[in-house]
Amino acid sequence: MTRSVLVPSSLTREAEDKREATRKLGYVARAAVIFRVDRLVVFPDGEGETGRFGDGFVSTVLEYAATAPYLRKEVWDRRDELEYAGILPPLHVRSQTGSGSDGSGSLRQGIVTEVGPDGRVRVNCGMQHPISLPAPSGEYEEGERVTIRVSSRRPVRAKIVDEAPPGFDVERETIDDALTRADAGTRIAASRHGEELTVERLDQLVERTTTDGMTVVFGAPERGLPEILDCQPGEEARSDEPTARFDLWLNTVPNQGSEVVRTEEALFATLAPLTLE
């Protein structure tokens, strides 16, 4: 079961400056963590792809936010897109722990700092020093990100595992590709033009998203999904059109008091009910 959220590359188009744009993306990252999103996907929007903050601004800032704080200095060089990264709110990602005392069995992000000739690698995973670990399968490269399960800190016992680390991945993908993934689950277009979410409808919908997972797509400021996709909400379209692959168009703020609900606000309003169990 996978939870994927799609936001447009033009997400910060209306921000007054780069500082405000960065703050806006911080709210998006917070929503992704709070509601346990697995994949945060930035899809291209031709109207905002080459904005005043440069190509790739949205995905770069979100990728930085998703990087564990203890790895940021090593992973990221000084970049114009990250000029105001210091104002991003801390995500405080909850550790995914196994059995044992506090911290035992926890998953952590790591980065390979050195590859040895003896089938071992040194990994920085936020401890006092990089730790030497056996490479379980395949070959690793310096700078490669890995997931570490730490079962003990004193003495250090850890291993590289084939699991997703806590938090979310940031990817770049088209709407079409995201909606046709095998793990897309229930495909939802978040739009004020969609069907209004009601208490009666919520029970059935949550049961479905809990079982199958979901992919929720959001529009841009002053440019919702109907404008981005050049379609009418829920209209029947040809099978090769991305709009035909939505299972429903959903309005999760049916009685909004503001003329405009910002994308970062829509994330909280939409993911909160859809992740109930």
Side-chain angles (χ1 to χ4, degrees):
M1 192 274 287
T2 301
R3 290 176 183 168
S4 298
V5 166
L6 275 67
V7 295
S9 59
S10 56
L11 181 60
T12 59
R13 183 176 57 172
E14 93 296 1
E16 293 182 0
D17 52 37
K18 193 181 294 184
R19 182 185 182 89
E20 179 58 30
T22 302
R23 189 187 307 278
K24 181 184 184 79
L25 293 174
Y27 296 138
V28 173
R30 285 286 296 168
V33 166
I34 289 171
F35 299 109
R36 294 184 178 275
V37 169
D38 300 299
R39 299 172 65 244
L40 185 54
V41 179
V42 180
F43 66 84
D45 174 16
E47 290 290 323
E49 186 69 10
T50 55
R52 51 183 169 147
F53 305 127
D55 293 352
F57 174 80
V58 169
S59 56
T60 297
V61 175
L62 290 176
E63 286 178 41
Y64 179 89
T67 302
Y70 52 81
L71 293 180
R72 288 175 178 172
K73 184 176 182 180
E74 186 164 347
V75 173
W76 295 95
D77 296 324
R78 297 181 67 89
R79 300 182 57 162
D80 290 343
E81 299 97 321
L82 302 176
E83 180 179 0
Y84 293 102
I87 69 170
L88 288 169
L91 300 187
H92 295 304
V93 179
R94 288 184 61 183
S95 296
Q96 299 176 3
T97 59
S99 60
S101 60
D102 184 31
S104 175
S106 63
L107 291 179
R108 299 176 66 82
Q109 293 183 27
I111 185 169
V112 176
T113 60
E114 183 181 346
V115 179
D118 54 354
R120 300 181 69 88
V121 293
R122 293 186 68 81
V123 179
N124 178 1
C125 58
M127 297 190 179
Q128 187 173 6
H129 304 288
I131 58 177
S132 177
L133 298 172
S137 61
E139 296 183 356
Y140 293 87
E141 297 179 357
E142 186 174 328
E144 183 174 349
R145 299 197 207 189
V146 293
T147 303
I148 306 298
R149 182 173 290 281
V150 180
S151 56
S152 172
R153 289 178 175 269
R154 295 184 181 178
V156 174
R157 293 192 182 94
K159 62 181 180 180
I160 300 174
V161 295
D162 186 19
E163 300 180 49
F168 56 89
D169 289 329
V170 178
E171 302 175 17
R172 305 184 195 192
E173 195 172 42
T174 66
I175 292 179
D176 190 22
D177 288 341
L179 294 179
T180 54
R181 285 173 56 104
D183 61 353
T186 305
R187 296 155 298 190
I188 300 171
S191 171
R192 65 187 180 90
H193 301 291
E195 177 183 341
E196 294 185 358
L197 180 63
T198 63
V199 173
E200 292 76 16
R201 180 65 188 276
L202 183 59
D203 283 343
Q204 179 183 9
L205 186 54
V206 167
E207 181 178 357
R208 185 175 176 184
T209 58
T210 301
T211 302
D212 300 337
M214 61 181 176
T215 297
V216 188
V217 186
F218 294 86
E222 303 176 358
R223 183 172 157 81
L225 286 177
E227 291 78 18
I228 291 175
L229 296 174
D230 191 22
C231 68
Q232 293 298 317
E235 73 177 355
E236 292 296 325
R238 299 190 310 275
S239 60
D240 61 343
E241 290 290 337
T243 52
R245 300 192 178 103
F246 286 116
D247 294 303
L248 74 157
W249 288 70
L250 190 65
N251 179 5
T252 55
V253 193
N255 298 308
Q256 64 188 64
S258 173
E259 291 183 2
V260 176
V261 175
R262 296 174 179 175
T263 305
E264 64 272 25
E265 296 168 337
L267 258 73
F268 282 94
T270 302
L271 296 176
L274 293 181
T275 54
L276 292 173
E277 296 184 0

